[in-house]
Amino acid sequence: MANHLGQLFHAFAFMYFQTLKSPEFRPARNMPTEEAVNIAREVYAGSAMTLDTEGYAALMGMVVRFCEFEWDVRRILFQEDPLYADLACPDGEVRTLKGQPDLVYSDPPHGLIIYDWKTGMGQPKSPKKREEDGEPVEGKQYLADVGKYQ
C-alpha cells in the first residue's frame, strides 16, 4: 500500500508540473490548492491502485503541502526521464549506472537540482551504537545538514 502512495504521488507531481506549464497557468509559480487536489483526484481515479483511508489522507496532505512550493517551470529540464552512464571500474569491468530522477531543475549559477520525491513513513536509519548522554553520535549521515533530503 505504501508503494501505491509513492506511485500516486509521483503521478500527481508529473501532472502538476505539466498543468503548471500550460498557458492558462503560466507564469504562475504554484497552483491553487483546489486545482492541485482535483489533479490528484483525477490521477487516483484513473489508476488501478487503491489506498486505505489513511493513505488517501496522506496523499491529499502531501498534495496540499506541495502547493506551498514555488517553481519556475522554465527551469525544469526534464521529469521522470531515465539516465544512464557507463563507468569503467578499477577491476576492468564497465558497469552501467542508471537512475530516473523525478525532476531535474536548472539552478544557475550553481548547476542543477535533482529531486527525488519521498513518501515513506518509516524512520530514517540511525547509527546502531548508542552513545552516552552528552556524547556525539558517530555514524553515517543519512540526511543533509538541513534535514530535508537524503
Side-chain angles (χ1 to χ4, degrees), residues 15-110:
M15 291 306 301
Y16 178 93
F17 287 117
Q18 294 304 312
T19 304
L20 203 57
K21 290 179 193 177
S22 66
E24 63 264 20
F25 276 94
R26 286 188 78 176
R29 297 178 69 84
N30 58 5
M31 73 174 57
T33 304
E34 182 179 357
E35 182 70 28
V37 167
N38 287 338
I39 289 171
R41 287 179 179 151
E42 288 172 17
V43 165
Y44 184 68
S47 80
M49 294 176 264
T50 58
L51 297 171
D52 59 17
T53 304
E54 185 178 309
Y56 188 79
L59 175 64
M60 290 304 150
M62 288 180 225
V63 166
V64 169
R65 177 78 170 97
F66 200 75
C67 293
E68 295 175 12
F69 297 100
E70 292 190 352
W71 307 89
D72 181 347
V73 294
R74 297 170 300 176
R75 292 174 48 192
I76 295 173
L77 300 175
F78 56 90
Q79 295 176 256
E80 302 284 349
D81 288 345
L83 299 175
Y84 302 91
D86 289 332
L87 303 174
C89 299
D91 63 4
E93 292 288 324
V94 175
R95 292 181 173 83
T96 302
L97 176 67
K98 55 186 173 180
Q100 186 168 322
D102 298 327
L103 180 74
V104 178
Y105 193 77
S106 167
D107 187 30
H110 307 289

Side-chain angles (χ1 to χ4, degrees), residues 126-131 135-142:
S126 61
K128 292 179 183 173
K129 180 182 174 190
R130 293 302 250 176
E131 301 293 334
E135 294 295 317
V137 175
E138 298 293 326
K140 293 182 179 178
Q141 182 173 343
Y142 293 95

Side-chain angles (χ1 to χ4, degrees), residues 3-16:
N3 191 26
H4 287 176
L5 177 60
Q7 291 174 10
L8 288 163
F9 182 78
H10 278 77
F12 155 76
F14 185 85
M15 291 306 301
Y16 178 93

Side-chain angles (χ1 to χ4, degrees), residues 124-125 140-150:
K125 293 180 182 178
K140 293 182 179 178
Q141 182 173 343
Y142 293 95
L143 297 177
D145 291 336
V146 293
K148 303 223 187 256
Y149 53 90
Q150 294 177 330

